[in-house]
């Protein structure tokens, strides 16, 4: 009986030592590189389901419809009409938001952040989205400089 208690204590000590040593190991990154297109954590839909072509054709954000969907660059894209879907599939680079739909200002700062599709601008025929109104106003105040910085940071900020 004494031998079994000693063996049990040795096992418990060994397990505790193993668990303690595992706690000392550096944590592995939770995720590998970020996706080229921002879709959020619980979705695979770009621009939170807004129609990226509508910014150019209607001058405003318009929610897409699942009936008019395509997959491009690892994300699902929704459109308000067949015509917008066709325009996008014909030239996705023309309509896709810059920096994969991540916040343009954040990318200019060497980081990434989600973006609100209702905070947007088209500059030189390119769509940019930003995190919120406050960040959008900051970006607008010096957007040429922020675009230059973001262009230099993209896509290395995804690493």
């Amino acid at each position: 009986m004494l031998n079994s208690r000693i063996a049990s204590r040795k096992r418990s000590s060994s397990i505790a030592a193993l668990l303690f040593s595992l706690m000392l190991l550096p944590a592995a990154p939770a995720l590998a590189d970020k996706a080229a297109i921002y879709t959020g954590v619980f979705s695979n839909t770009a621009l939170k389901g807004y129609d990226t072509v509508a910014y150019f054709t209607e001058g405003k954000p318009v929610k897409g419809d699942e009936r008019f969907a395509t997959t491009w660059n690892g994300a699902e894209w929704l459109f308000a009409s067949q015509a917008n879907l066709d325009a996008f599939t014909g030239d996705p680079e023309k309509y896709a938001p810059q920096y994969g739909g991540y916040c343009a200002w954040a990318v200019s700062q060497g980081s990434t952040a989600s973006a609100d599709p209702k905070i947007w601008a088209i500059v030189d025929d390119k769509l940019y989205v930003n995190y919120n109104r406050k960040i959008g106003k900051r970006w607008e105040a010096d957007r040429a400089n922020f675009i230059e910085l973001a262009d230099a940071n993209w896509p290395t900020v995804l690493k």
Side-chain angles (χ1 to χ4, degrees), residues 33-134:
D33 295 342
K34 296 175 183 125
I37 303 295
Y38 178 77
T39 60
V41 177
F42 301 108
S43 172
N44 190 39
T45 305
L47 279 177
K48 296 182 181 177
Y50 280 81
D51 178 341
T52 191
V53 174
Y55 293 97
F56 295 89
T57 60
E58 296 187 40
K60 65 182 182 181
V62 175
K63 272 297 225 180
D65 185 318
E66 290 181 358
R67 294 177 299 160
F68 309 110
T70 192
T71 300
W72 179 74
N73 231 9
E76 181 180 38
W77 299 79
L78 303 180
F79 302 91
S81 68
Q82 185 65 48
N84 287 5
L85 169 60
D86 292 344
F88 181 81
T89 57
D91 192 359
E93 294 286 340
K94 175 180 178 179
Y95 297 105
Q98 298 302 291
Y99 321 122
Y102 288 93
C103 171
W105 183 83
V107 174
S108 77
Q109 302 304 298
S111 187
T112 59
S114 63
D116 181 341
K118 292 179 252 168
I119 312 302
W120 63 281
I122 294 177
V123 180
D124 296 329
D125 293 323
K126 295 179 181 180
L127 174 62
Y128 298 87
V129 289
N130 278 292
Y131 179 72
N132 61 22
R133 288 192 198 291
K134 180 179 177 183

Side-chain angles (χ1 to χ4, degrees), residues 7-29:
S8 176
R9 284 186 186 157
K10 284 184 179 178
R11 258 192 312 271
S12 294
S13 294
S14 295
I15 291 171
L18 175 64
L19 291 174
F20 180 74
S21 65
L22 288 173
M23 289 182 352
L24 297 177
L25 291 175

